[in-house]
Structures are given as structure tokens and as C-alpha cells.
Amino acid sequence: MRINYSREDIIIGFFIVFAVLYPFFIALLLFLEDLADKRKGLEDVRAFYTFLLGLEECSESKALELAKLMSEELSKNMGGAEGLLRTCNSYRKAYADARAEEKKVEEGEVVVELVKKEKGMTQRMLSLRLKFSGGDGELKIEKVDYEKGS
């Protein structure tokens, strides 16, 4: 007994399978888009704290660009782009050979430790806690807390 399918039956079957799987395709696309938005926000936060801690070149243009990420209250407390640039320069001089380790990433919060390795020992120089919100696709860094290391 041999089953023969006509071309029309195969085409109709394809469209039926596609119609059943269509909601899953759309859900997958929405999920991937949301994941890309979250990743972009986290990359912006990383760019902010690497600049703030002086781990990259301190330039006025980069400070102006990153100052847009700060909330109004934080911008007022830090002194805007000028304060951000001053902080970058001071940390760049103080912790020239240190590197950053991202310890914990939670929803809306990142903890970064500035560590330095000397003679086989890891010394924690500074701990930085950033609180941010990502409403409406626009990231705003709300609070920056420092804690001196041991």
C-alpha cells in the first residue's frame, strides 16, 4: 500500500504547520528583541563604570556622552560631565594598574570591585555599586555608591 501526496496537499500541509507555529515564531522574535535591549543597557552601564573608574582614556567627549546616562539628581551631585571627567582622571591616577571585576548583576544593580594583584595576593582597592533603571528603552543611572577596600 503506497501513499501518494499531491503537490497541493503538501503545500496546504505546509501552510497549516506554519499557521500553528506562527505564534511561537513571533514570541521568539519578541524575546530575542527584549534580550538585545537588556544587553545593550548592560553594555552602557559597563561603559559608564569603566570610564568612571578611569579604566579607559578620560576624554571630554566621552564624558559628555556618558553624562546623558545619569539621572538629574546624580548629575547634580557629581557635577555633570565635568565632575565625571574629574572623577575619571583622579581614579586613573590613583588606581593606574588595577582592574575591574563585576561581582554581581541583579535587576537594576551592578557591583564592581577594583582589584590589584601584587605578589600573588589580590587586594580589593574599591567597591562600586551602581543602581540604574531602564524604563522606556532609555537607561538612567540613579545612584553610585563607593566603598574603600582592604
Side-chain angles (χ1 to χ4, degrees):
M1 191 148 118
R2 188 172 179 165
I3 301 175
N4 289 330
Y5 295 109
S6 67
R7 185 176 294 161
E8 293 84 15
D9 292 339
I10 293 174
I11 292 172
I12 290 172
F14 172 75
F15 281 110
I16 289 173
V17 169
F18 182 72
V20 169
L21 295 178
Y22 180 75
F24 296 109
F25 289 138
I26 298 300
L28 180 65
L29 288 174
L30 291 174
F31 174 74
L32 292 176
E33 184 179 321
D34 188 43
L35 190 64
D37 287 343
K38 284 183 182 178
R39 187 171 293 140
K40 166 108 174 59
L42 199 52
E43 288 173 6
D44 289 343
V45 169
R46 284 187 181 120
F48 184 81
Y49 77 69
T50 55
F51 184 81
L52 184 68
L53 294 174
L55 300 174
E56 63 182 47
E57 195 63 37
C58 301
S59 67
E60 190 173 337
S61 62
K62 186 75 172 180
L64 288 171
E65 178 185 326
L66 292 174
K68 296 176 186 173
L69 296 177
M70 294 190 294
S71 67
E72 290 180 26
E73 182 180 333
L74 179 63
S75 181
K76 191 169 85 173
N77 290 341
M78 287 188 76
E82 296 84 20
L84 191 61
L85 187 61
R86 278 193 311 268
T87 305
C88 177
N89 285 325
S90 68
Y91 280 127
R92 189 161 179 82
K93 290 175 188 173
Y95 305 113
D97 54 349
R99 62 183 175 85
E101 289 183 358
E102 198 171 294
K103 288 292 184 183
K104 157 173 68 165
V105 177
E106 292 180 0
E107 190 65 34
E109 186 174 321
V110 176
V111 175
V112 180
E113 289 188 354
L114 205 57
V115 296
K116 182 175 162 185
K117 287 196 175 190
E118 281 185 343
K119 300 177 185 176
M121 294 178 55
T122 303
Q123 186 178 20
R124 184 172 66 93
M125 309 299 284
L126 180 79
S127 181
L128 176 76
R129 182 179 302 263
L130 286 172
K131 293 185 182 181
F132 59 93
S133 64
D136 298 11
E138 188 175 319
L139 180 82
K140 287 293 178 189
I141 297 174
E142 298 171 346
K143 190 174 183 181
V144 177
D145 292 326
Y146 300 97
E147 180 181 321
K148 283 283 191 177
S150 55

